[in-house]
Amino acid sequence: GTVDSGHQCLRGRNEVIMLRRLDEANKRRALRILCGECETYDALYGKPHDAGDKPAWPGADQIDQLRRLGYEPSVFTLEPGEYVHINKGRLHAFRKALPAPGQPEEYCVSVAWD
């Protein structure tokens, strides 16, 4: 089975995309949209840090497509000290937030657990 998980941002900022809970067929459909042309990446059952091609971070057009399908994507940024609880079965992704133009890059520290 799946379990709830959490993500705590300690330093820097993390961008997050999270979908509502979906059945298997809709998870696969959502991942086809999110992974775009990176067809060999198994975001559902592969290890998240395996070597190989990874899809680009989803753009606004992909998020809009997910909204039209009723997948209710939540797109937000975790600031230092913020925490998000992720209910079991919800597809989600994190990445280090890019600094604003002209701002220095900051290293990012976060903790995730199941």
Side-chain angles (χ1 to χ4, degrees), residues 32-84:
R32 279 194 301 276
I33 293 165
L34 291 169
C35 291
E37 296 187 19
C38 193
E39 297 174 5
T40 60
Y41 185 70
D42 184 2
L44 195 54
Y45 296 110
K47 296 177 184 171
H49 301 289
D50 279 350
D53 291 336
K54 301 216 177 15
W57 190 253
D61 56 335
Q62 291 162 294
I63 300 300
D64 288 342
Q65 191 173 357
L66 294 171
R67 281 196 177 100
R68 286 192 302 274
L69 289 169
Y71 295 165
E72 302 174 18
S74 298
V75 181
F76 56 95
T77 301
L78 284 178
E79 301 290 338
E82 291 183 333
Y83 165 84
V84 64

Side-chain angles (χ1 to χ4, degrees), residues 15-19 34 57-58 86 90-95:
E15 292 180 285
V16 182
I17 295 175
M18 185 166 43
L19 305 181
L34 291 169
W57 190 253
I86 304 163
R90 293 185 70 172
L91 293 177
H92 59 279
F94 295 88
R95 78 169 180 175

